Amino acid sequence: MNISDELYQQTILDYNRSPRNFHKMENPTHFARGLNPLCGDDYTVYLRVNEDDMIEEVSFDGHGCAVSKASASLMTQELKGKTLDEARCLFHTFQELATGKEHSLGKLNVFSGVWKYPERVKCAVLAWHAMDSALSGKKTTSTE
Amino acid sequence: MSSLYEQIRADFPILGKKVNGHPLTYLDSAAASLKPLPVIEAVERFYREMPANVHRGVHSLSREATAAYEGARETVRKFINAARIEEIVFTSGTTASINLAARSWAATQLRKGDEIVLSHMEHHSNIVPWKMLCEENGFILKIIPVTDAGELDMEAFHSLLGPRTKLVAVTQVSNALGTINPVEEIIAAAHAHGALALIDAAQSAPCMPIDVQALDCDFLAFSGHKLFGPTGIGVLYAKAGLLEDMPPFLGGGDMILSVSFEEICYNKPPYRFEAGTPNIAGAVGLGRAIDYVRAIGFDRIQEHEQNLLRGATAALNSLEGVRIIGTAEKKAAVISFVIDGVHPHDIGSIVDSCGVAIRAGHHCAQPLMTRFGLPATARAAFSIYNSEDDIERLAAAVHKVREIML
């Protein structure tokens, strides 16, 4: 087992050192906090969704490990321009990827070795869960 | 290399295990210690030779089981020098012990507006039971602050005590920082204000001698699993006069003298507080673990662990970007540290890939982490079976963390 190949691939290290879309969003239409009480990882994911249910902008802030931060950052890039249905579908596929199922998800494939470290899977999916909660919250707590 | 390590290494066959292709370096003893063969064999022997219930059979196996269980209680009594055997209540661990003191004593003795003093470095098990009680009954928590070095601010502590203080509950050794607290002074000050004192000895019991009569504490709690014993067994010590007046917390078998639908007559301590079939094998294992520790002796244990603490502190301090959290003058062999720019979880995973087991997280002490402005730390905890080689392996693994992450 080589942890540099399986868990800490270069892309993850790059995104950890300089995360993209790593800032609070003014006037998001949706946002939710993702908290891992076990290790203290704590992110807030912000989305701006337009009238056609398309995600125009995504960002996040907070703190956590390299795996959770890189995953959150890559997620924000992947979700921009997607519809809500596409976003939920990608969340589902990404969860499968992170738990050992083979998928072709481009850059997100750097997380295909995470399943070998079961205690780190929740790091990889944390921001995605926050995104999903934020979007689900729309029905009851729409900010628009 | 320490002679203690050489002498006892063979008692811990798990040390021969390979983890991720490397020899195991176990530095997570502050979460759970490894178990020596005599303890494993004592538990196995119980199940093999006397697997009966206690206190209720008239047959031979039950008599043997009862003798083993009560023998373990006497071993615990001697270990902490309690005056009387009925002051030793077996529980499932420190958490259950503190909850028992909270529910049976504090909930029935304190009144609305009474104050409970805790420290900022408590484990959640010595915070949450009290916080729950405060919310239900209107008691008030007062918190002893912690200095930048990770020591209790004793001046502030004394100023927290007042006429409404009814209990001071503090840990003897911080599980997160290793700080050894001046519990003698704390207990005396609590008593001077008419308050009782509860000591969380979960982290201290494995590394220093405890004499409850000399300390004069009113309650003391510890667990088997940090003391080279089984999981799911622990102890609440309480002064006999307190236990005598305390109502039971859990109801069930073995804690009664007689039961009818009209009236229940409760058993005397300690049985009043041990409802249901207890963890007999756990108690037997704990008793054997205590015998094991006493045979080595705390003089040798402390000398060995303080050597490792000094060596590991120096090794980590010499690594660039590593910062030790908790620099108290008196420490047990527990070292919390952070690496600038690297999350403790990433430290934990990478050193594990080198066979080094440490803890990464908030150590069930979130208020303390918040105090230091950290979400988490990495923690290396040394014990009797660690050697100077383990320090070198830790240092090499931490070096690799920096290589990969920075």
Side-chain angles (χ1 to χ4, degrees):
Chain A
M1 181 174 76
N2 187 335
I3 199 162
S4 296
D5 296 338
E6 289 170 356
L7 196 59
Y8 294 108
Q9 294 187 37
Q10 203 52 45
T11 308
I12 291 183
L13 297 176
D14 287 345
Y15 274 76
N16 177 51
R17 287 187 200 113
S18 35
R20 286 34 158 206
N21 302 315
F22 187 54
H23 56 82
K24 189 176 177 196
M25 187 189 294
E26 299 302 328
N27 307 315
T29 56
H30 304 74
F31 67 96
R33 194 169 164 200
L35 199 62
N36 183 344
L38 215 65
C39 57
D41 285 0
D42 187 352
Y43 294 104
T44 302
V45 173
Y46 308 89
L47 300 112
R48 187 175 296 131
V49 181
N50 69 17
E51 286 160 359
D52 302 325
D53 275 356
M54 195 191 80
I55 298 169
E56 286 185 330
E57 221 185 314
V58 204
S59 72
F60 76 109
D61 65 0
H63 58 78
C65 65
V67 175
S68 61
K69 188 178 276 182
S71 174
S73 185
L74 279 156
M75 177 189 80
T76 60
Q77 292 188 317
E78 293 291 326
L79 289 183
K80 193 170 174 178
K82 289 211 165 31
T83 65
L84 298 189
D85 285 345
E86 286 169 342
R88 291 199 180 95
C89 184
L90 184 60
F91 171 43
H92 181 71
T93 314
F94 180 73
Q95 272 186 309
E96 289 189 345
L97 175 91
T99 47
K101 204 166 168 185
E102 278 189 35
H103 282 291
S104 240
L105 288 181
K107 265 189 176 178
L108 292 175
N109 270 41
V110 292
F111 295 98
S112 60
V114 174
W115 65 273
K116 291 176 191 165
Y117 304 81
E119 73 283 359
R120 303 305 298 274
V121 170
K122 60 184 184 297
C123 306
V125 297
L126 178 61
W128 294 78
H129 276 287
M131 177 271 293
D132 189 49
S133 302
L135 295 182
S136 305
K138 186 186 179 187
K139 290 177 192 114
T140 48
T141 57
S142 177
T143 50
E144 279 288 287
Chain B
M1 189 168 292
S2 165
S3 59
L4 176 59
Y5 164 77
E6 291 289 353
Q7 181 194 323
I8 66 167
R9 183 187 158 79
D11 293 336
F12 296 87
I14 189 137
L15 291 172
K17 187 182 165 88
K18 293 265 180 184
V19 173
N20 299 323
H22 300 271
L24 169 65
T25 292
Y26 189 77
L27 300 178
D28 197 20
S29 300
S33 62
L34 304 178
K35 321 302 175 197
L37 280 177
V39 169
I40 297 167
E41 286 162 1
V43 172
E44 195 204 328
R45 184 171 158 263
F46 169 79
Y47 282 122
R48 195 187 289 277
E49 295 179 13
M50 58 190 93
N53 216 324
V54 290
H55 303 147
R56 35 177 78 78
V58 291
H59 56 83
S60 301
L61 281 191
S62 178
R63 263 200 307 277
E64 282 180 48
T66 303
Y69 184 65
E70 293 303 323
R73 198 190 305 276
E74 171 60 15
T75 303
V76 171
R77 185 200 67 75
K78 275 192 286 195
F79 181 59
I80 59 172
N81 192 33
R84 296 160 62 172
I85 192 164
E86 59 266 31
E87 295 176 322
I88 307 299
V89 180
F90 281 124
T91 67
S92 65
T94 305
T95 299
S97 297
I98 295 174
N99 275 277
L100 172 56
R103 294 288 154 180
S104 285
W105 180 77
T108 59
Q109 297 297 315
L110 273 59
R111 300 195 176 165
K112 192 175 177 190
D114 281 347
E115 295 165 3
I116 298 168
V117 176
L118 311 176
S119 89
H120 212 128
M121 68 170 76
E122 297 309 311
H123 188 283
H124 292 167
S125 62
N126 198 27
I127 298 174
V128 181
W130 306 114
K131 180 75 180 153
M132 288 165 69
L133 219 55
C134 287
E135 282 170 7
E136 289 163 28
N137 300 286
F139 309 152
I140 295 164
L141 285 187
K142 298 271 180 176
I143 307 300
I144 310 167
V146 168
T147 67
D148 290 343
E151 295 173 323
L152 294 182
D153 181 339
M154 292 302 286
E155 204 173 313
F157 161 65
H158 286 286
S159 70
L160 287 177
L161 299 170
R164 297 304 299 266
T165 310
K166 291 293 183 279
L167 177 73
V168 179
V170 293
T171 190
Q172 189 165 21
V173 170
S174 160
N175 72 304
L177 306 180
T179 311
I180 300 174
N181 289 321
V183 290
E184 297 85 352
E185 182 183 342
I186 290 168
I187 294 162
H191 288 169
H193 283 79
L196 301 194
L198 179 147
I199 302 302
D200 174 354
Q203 208 61 59
S204 55
C207 61
M208 61 175 67
I210 292 172
D211 181 335
V212 291
Q213 293 188 75
L215 286 172
D216 198 27
C217 55
D218 302 283
F219 299 99
L220 182 129
F222 63 96
S223 297
H225 70 276
K226 296 193 189 195
L227 185 55
F228 315 106
T231 56
I233 186 75
V235 170
L236 176 68
Y237 158 83
K239 284 179 179 166
L242 290 168
L243 286 176
E244 201 61 55
D245 292 338
M246 279 161 53
F249 169 40
L250 295 175
D254 221 29
M255 51 76 76
I256 47 82
L257 291 176
S258 68
V259 175
S260 73
F261 289 114
E262 287 71 38
E263 193 183 29
I264 293 168
C265 192
Y266 298 123
N267 206 338
K268 61 188 183 187
Y271 311 112
R272 187 189 299 161
F273 307 102
E274 296 180 359
T277 295
N279 183 355
I280 310 166
V284 169
L286 172 59
R288 188 63 190 86
I290 288 172
D291 287 340
Y292 184 82
V293 168
R294 284 166 66 98
I296 297 171
F298 278 113
D299 287 348
R300 289 189 71 198
I301 290 175
Q302 284 178 315
E303 186 194 352
H304 175 77
E305 292 185 358
Q306 289 297 315
N307 279 336
L308 292 175
L309 174 66
R310 270 191 297 276
T313 302
L316 287 172
N317 275 335
S318 72
L319 293 171
E320 200 189 328
V322 175
R323 184 159 56 97
I324 292 176
I325 308 298
T327 50
E329 204 173 307
K330 289 185 180 171
K331 275 182 71 168
V334 173
I335 306 178
S336 251
F337 63 97
V338 292
I339 303 176
D340 295 335
V342 185
H343 192 278
H345 249 199
D346 299 315
I347 302 174
S349 285
I350 295 170
V351 301
D352 178 62
S353 76
C354 305
V356 179
I358 61 163
R359 174 84 183 265
H362 53 57
H363 318 296
C364 295
Q366 276 183 322
L368 184 64
M369 297 292 112
T370 306
R371 155 69 183 81
F372 283 95
L374 298 164
T377 68
R379 181 188 68 188
F382 293 82
S383 187
I384 50 175
Y385 35 68
N386 292 119
S387 71
E388 278 149 29
D389 288 349
D390 293 330
I391 299 175
E392 279 175 34
R393 292 194 192 110
L394 172 68
V398 170
H399 183 72
K400 186 175 173 189
V401 172
R402 286 179 49 83
E403 265 181 7
I404 290 179
M405 299 300 298
L406 297 174

